Amino acid sequence: SNFFALFEHKLFALFGNLPLPLKQRLTKWGWMIYFPLHKLLLGRRTGIHPDASYEYHALSTVMHWGRLFPVTVERMRFSLSQLSVWHPPEAYPYCLRRYEREDDGGGDNGGSGGGRWRLRRRRVGHHREGAVVKKISYDMKDICRIATGIADNEQEQEQEDEGGGGCSTVVTGYYIQQNPSQPSDHVLFWLYGGAYLAGDSEGNLPIAEKFGQWCNDVDVFLPNYRLLPEYSFFDSLRDVVQSYEYLVSVRGVKPCNITCLGVSSGGGLVVRLFQTLAERRREMDIDDDS
């Protein structure tokens, strides 16, 4: 492990910069070589229950070697950033094929530093037009926070007193628009997981895009949030609350049309988001479902 640590940074950078389809093919080819050899030489004789599938036994021997590599924050972040690699195009009926960059000359809805990718995919049975993925970077500094009131000076001071890393007013992430011609009324608000230490929105794009398809083709918003140990939990929560506010105040999505989904630690942030919204509604004396 210590020897591997000497060059893992370059290895991670090299693999991470490869095109997604190539990484998926390399992973698939590696499995197609390893699995038949494992089935021939070991079969179900790995210490796991013999009724388990050959694939399960083969995967267990692959993962066994991970014991030689202690889990570090950097390794966690790299692994979770590559989730799209382990989720190949043929995994489900219709899904991600490849990204195509589309420069639109500006940010999204007035924000700075935007860009587009078009997801080309296939669907069993009939043709389906690809979704559009927009890279979001929007400064919420001058936005009136009608849904959360997160910009209150008192709350900002409280975060700093509790170890927060300061104020960040820029919402970043990805917005998957299933229908290129118009956004959907309902939006899936997707928070990735990673024990608050790792994870990113880009690595979750393929599976999140599929979930949006399965939910009657609703759009999906995957915001980024700051991670530990560089920042605190309160910074992560602030980013999530601001991202929710972005959906409501900037994109005009009704709160009743937002479905929140959190993966692992993202689920914890969803719960804390609901608590924050409930506290804010009580402060504003709001009783209806708006």
Side-chain angles (χ1 to χ4, degrees):
S1 175
N2 292 334
F3 175 75
F4 180 74
L6 297 176
F7 58 89
E8 71 176 11
H9 302 283
K10 294 183 179 179
L11 183 62
F12 288 167
L14 176 63
F15 188 80
N17 289 327
L18 293 177
L20 177 59
L22 177 59
K23 291 189 287 188
Q24 290 173 331
R25 291 190 183 97
L26 290 174
T27 303
K28 180 179 179 181
W29 292 339
W31 178 253
M32 291 174 64
I33 295 173
Y34 179 80
F35 176 64
L37 289 176
H38 184 280
K39 187 175 181 180
L40 175 65
L41 298 175
L42 288 177
R44 291 190 170 101
R45 301 183 300 275
T46 63
I48 299 178
H49 196 283
D51 288 344
S53 66
Y54 285 110
E55 291 81 1
Y56 189 5
H57 284 270
L59 184 61
S60 69
T61 57
V62 170
M63 300 301 295
H64 174 80
W65 299 104
R67 297 167 63 246
L68 301 177
F69 301 91
V71 177
T72 64
V73 171
E74 183 177 7
R75 290 170 183 171
M76 285 180 61
R77 290 179 179 178
F78 174 76
S79 298
L80 292 178
S81 71
Q82 302 301 307
L83 288 178
S84 55
V85 177
W86 327 128
H87 194 78
E90 61 273 15
Y92 292 98
Y94 65 95
C95 50
L96 177 67
R97 295 300 295 173
R98 70 171 183 270
Y99 290 107
E100 290 183 351
R101 181 64 183 270
E102 293 182 347
D103 292 321
D104 58 2
D108 182 75
N109 289 332
S112 59
R116 290 187 178 187
W117 286 261
R118 181 176 293 277
L119 302 184
R120 296 191 61 188
R121 59 178 183 251
R122 62 183 178 181
R123 182 174 187 175
V124 174
H126 61 277
H127 173 73
R128 176 187 177 86
E129 189 176 4
V132 171
V133 178
K134 300 179 181 180
K135 189 174 183 180
I136 303 299
S137 180
Y138 193 95
D139 194 339
M140 298 285 290
K141 183 177 181 180
D142 298 323
I143 299 299
C144 178
R145 282 132 169 105
I146 58 175
T148 62
I150 194 64
D152 292 346
N153 292 331
E154 181 179 349
Q155 194 167 2
E156 290 177 2
Q157 184 62 45
E158 180 182 347
Q159 286 186 345
E160 293 178 0
D161 294 340
E162 292 177 343
C167 299
S168 175
T169 60
V170 179
V171 172
T172 63
Y174 291 89
Y175 189 91
I176 303 174
Q177 187 171 311
Q178 304 286 0
N179 185 346
S181 61
Q182 63 179 6
S184 63
D185 293 332
H186 293 76
V187 175
L188 183 61
F189 187 68
W190 183 288
L191 297 180
Y192 51 82
Y196 304 107
L197 297 168
D200 59 43
S201 57
E202 186 172 2
N204 282 246
L205 276 174
I207 186 63
E209 192 257 352
K210 289 182 184 178
F211 266 76
Q213 293 173 355
W214 295 337
C215 297
N216 297 320
D217 283 332
V218 299
D219 294 349
V220 186
F221 179 42
L222 301 90
N224 291 313
Y225 57 84
R226 286 171 287 180
L227 302 171
L228 281 69
E230 293 88 346
Y231 299 95
S232 74
F233 171 81
F234 300 101
D235 296 316
S236 303
L237 176 61
R238 179 186 177 82
D239 293 341
V240 169
V241 174
Q242 280 200 136
S243 298
Y244 179 89
E245 186 71 62
Y246 166 80
L247 278 182
V248 176
S249 300
V250 178
R251 301 197 73 94
V253 182
K254 296 180 179 179
C256 60
N257 289 340
I258 299 175
T259 300
C260 297
L261 185 153
V263 181
S264 188
S265 56
L269 285 169
V270 168
V271 173
R272 192 62 186 91
L273 168 65
F274 290 162
Q275 293 173 338
T276 300
L277 295 177
E279 292 166 1
R280 182 56 178 168
R281 288 169 63 86
R282 186 165 54 249
E283 293 171 1
M284 299 175 66
D285 195 23
I286 300 176
D287 296 324
D288 58 27
D289 296 329
S290 59

